[in-house]
């Protein structure tokens, strides 16, 4: 079976992290993000995967090549200019005659996709959307269904008063099972949005269109700094099951340093005596000097944290230098190559 991963957005909301690193390869517990999606697809027997790009395609292709290292066949397609979510699907799946799974490229989930595909087939649906329940629907596509799961309404980023009037909290989880008929709703080469154009049109035309609510499954859109940090911590804390996390090997950790059992440290790190790493991720080649503390944080490769510095609940980009006794807390997001002078407080 085929899949299209929509990964052509600029990742604007994840800036500054996405200035040098495109969103699909932003590291989540030291693995480029899309590998989690590829694993979920592969487990459901979906092994022919097209990554739909429009931004920094070379950097992404370079990572996985033909996908053989991941047990799938990967190909890449790049739009000359962004075609929107629906236009990108048409461009990537043009001529495809089989059921296709379309995935928003910034969703972290451990969903069992085979169950969704099975229900889609049983219902003889043209399109099935996975749905999830959230408290604040305003950042998502609000989806109303009837008791049988048939989709009655799709409203992208509703205003609070619109959402209140509809009174449901199920939203589009960004994973679709689509039959080839849907391709015809996205004219070739034209910009189309699934959310504001194609989904409403499927409803208008009365095509068999269903929602599949995913429950007891982890689901998060990692498209903002806060959700990105939370996704890393959720993996460390075991709130997302079913993914093997990389082992802590090949680093130099002083016997008088503390690295708790939740933290994940890539190779070539150097943790000096008295330093403490708690529930955090360190990328390759991070140096943590004497008595520095890193807690509930993500540190990208080759950053240096000087003696006595404290990093809490924050993300520090690649090749930064955090000065002695500097304090970085409270959801701070430092872009690559940030230099913080000794004693700075962020
Ligand atoms: N190839 C390509 N071309 N990909 C695109 C384009 C494009 O023109 N525009 C967006 N994408 C990709 C993004 O990279 C992202 O992976 C995905 O499509 C969705 O775009 P976002 O910009 O992340 O949308 P969103 O998070 O505001 O809303 C979407 O996701 C929500 C779930 O997280 C919508 O689908 C909502 O309905 C949904 O609830
Ligand atoms: Mg998103």
């Amino acid at each position: 079976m085929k899949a299209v991963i929509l990964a052509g957005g600029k990742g604007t909301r994840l800036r500054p992290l996405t200035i040098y690193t495109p969103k699909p390869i932003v590291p989540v517990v030291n693995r480029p993000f899309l590998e989690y999606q590829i694993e979920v697809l592969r487990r459901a027997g979906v092994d022919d995967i097209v990554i739909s790009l429009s931004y920094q395609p070379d950097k992404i292709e370079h990572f996985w090549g033909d996908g053989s290292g991941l047990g799938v066949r990967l190909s890449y397609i790049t739009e000359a200019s962004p075609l929107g979510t629906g236009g990108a699907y048409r461009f990537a799946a043009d001529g495809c005659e089989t059921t296709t799974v379309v995935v928003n490229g910034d969703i972290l989930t451990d969903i069992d996709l085979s169950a969704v595909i099975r229900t889609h087939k049983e219902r003889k649906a043209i399109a099935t959307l996975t749905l999830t329940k959230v408290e604040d629907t305003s950042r998502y596509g609000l989806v109303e269904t009837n008791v049988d799961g048939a989709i009655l309404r799709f409203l992208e980023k509703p205003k609070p008063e619109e959402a209140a009037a509809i009174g449901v909290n199920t939203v589009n989880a960004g994973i679709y099972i689509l039959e080839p008929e849907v391709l015809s709703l996205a004219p070739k080469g034209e910009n189309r949005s699934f959310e504001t154009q194609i989904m409403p049109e499927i409803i208008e035309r009365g095509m068999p269109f269903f929602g599949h609510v995913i429950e007891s499954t982890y689901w998060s859109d990692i498209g903002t700094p806060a959700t990105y940090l939370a996704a890393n911590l959720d993996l460390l804390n075991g709130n997302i099951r079913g993914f093997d996390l990389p082992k802590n090997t090949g680093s130099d950790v002083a016997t008088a340093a503390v690295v708790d059992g939740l933290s994940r440290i890539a190779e070539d790190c150097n943790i000096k005596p008295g330093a403490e790493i708690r529930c955090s991720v360190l990328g390759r080649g991070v140096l943590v000097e004497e008595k520095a503390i890193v807690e509930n944080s993500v540190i990208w490769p080759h950053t240096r944290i000087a003696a006595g510095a404290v990093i809490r609940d924050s993300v520090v980009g690649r090749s930064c230098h955090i000065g002695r006794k500097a304090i970085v807390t409270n959801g701070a997001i430092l872009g690559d190559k940030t230099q913080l002078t000794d004693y700075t407080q962020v």
Side-chain angles (χ1 to χ4, degrees):
M1 203 181 218
K2 194 182 175 91
V4 174
I5 301 181
L6 297 173
K10 281 198 169 164
T12 323
R13 282 166 295 178
L14 255 190
R15 280 183 193 151
L17 298 174
T18 44
I19 291 179
Y20 300 106
T21 309
K23 188 158 75 169
I25 54 171
V26 157
V28 175
V29 189
N30 293 331
R31 279 176 83 186
F33 173 65
L34 276 195
E35 286 190 12
Y36 293 93
Q37 291 202 336
I38 293 169
E39 196 171 320
V40 163
L41 290 165
R42 185 177 48 77
R43 277 191 217 147
V46 184
D47 55 5
D48 179 6
I49 303 173
V50 184
I51 304 187
S52 159
L53 302 165
S54 61
Y55 177 68
Q56 300 194 345
D58 303 341
K59 281 194 184 171
I60 296 167
E61 235 181 293
H62 166 81
F63 249 88
W64 300 296
D66 65 3
S68 46
L70 300 170
V72 295
R73 266 170 299 142
L74 278 187
S75 54
Y76 306 84
I77 188 160
T78 306
E79 298 139 52
S81 63
L83 288 172
T85 47
Y89 154 66
R90 170 75 197 246
F91 191 58
D94 199 28
C96 172
E97 289 170 2
T98 58
T99 312
T100 302
V101 182
V102 176
V103 187
N104 279 353
D106 56 358
I107 302 302
L108 178 61
T109 178
D110 52 6
I111 187 175
D112 173 11
L113 262 186
S114 49
V116 184
I117 296 168
R118 213 178 311 123
T119 325
H120 169 85
K121 301 265 187 201
E122 281 164 9
R123 286 167 158 166
K124 298 194 170 33
I126 292 291
T128 297
L129 308 188
T130 54
L131 307 179
T132 188
K133 291 179 179 164
V134 296
E135 277 182 15
D136 174 12
T137 56
S138 64
R139 282 176 46 208
Y140 303 102
L142 183 71
V143 179
E144 186 185 8
T145 62
N146 68 14
V147 283
D148 299 323
I151 293 179
L152 306 173
R153 182 154 31 181
F154 188 115
L155 191 58
E156 184 65 12
K157 313 253 163 37
K159 296 196 183 76
E161 58 275 18
E162 289 174 322
I166 299 172
V168 294
N169 64 349
T170 39
V171 299
N172 170 22
I175 303 172
Y176 319 136
I177 319 293
L178 304 178
E179 294 305 319
E181 283 89 332
V182 179
L183 284 171
S184 64
L185 304 180
K188 205 170 176 173
E190 286 185 29
N191 193 298
R192 276 291 182 287
S193 159
F194 267 127
E195 294 82 354
T196 61
Q197 294 169 295
I198 296 176
M199 305 311 183
E201 198 171 335
I202 295 176
I203 298 169
E204 232 167 74
R205 292 185 179 215
M207 295 162 119
F209 189 25
F210 290 92
H212 186 123
V213 180
I214 49 175
E215 278 169 296
S216 70
T217 288
Y218 183 90
W219 181 90
S220 172
D221 178 331
I222 63 134
T224 67
T227 55
Y228 167 73
L229 176 58
N232 278 272
L233 302 184
D234 282 332
L235 275 161
L236 296 184
N237 283 310
N239 296 336
I240 315 176
R241 275 157 282 130
F243 295 114
D244 290 332
L245 300 182
K247 299 262 176 309
N248 293 352
T249 50
S251 280
D252 189 357
V253 180
T255 37
V258 175
V259 175
D260 75 358
L262 296 176
S263 297
R264 283 291 181 271
I265 294 179
E267 320 78 82
D268 303 328
C269 290
N270 191 345
I271 319 289
K272 298 283 188 190
E276 293 177 29
I277 316 292
R278 299 191 189 274
C279 192
S280 293
V281 180
L282 305 191
R284 185 185 197 126
V286 168
L287 167 63
V288 184
E289 294 186 337
E290 287 78 3
K291 294 189 176 163
I293 295 175
V294 180
E295 196 173 359
N296 295 330
S297 295
V298 177
I299 316 294
W300 285 17
H302 305 296
T303 277
R304 176 178 163 206
I305 299 166
V310 176
I311 317 240
R312 237 177 226 130
D313 309 318
S314 297
V315 180
V316 180
R318 183 180 266 273
S319 304
C320 295
H321 178 233
I322 309 300
R324 289 165 62 90
K325 299 218 167 178
I327 299 180
V328 178
T329 53
N330 220 355
I333 310 291
L334 305 185
D336 294 355
K337 300 181 189 155
T338 300
Q339 304 269 337
L340 290 189
T341 315
D342 296 351
Y343 297 95
T344 300
Q345 297 195 17
V346 180

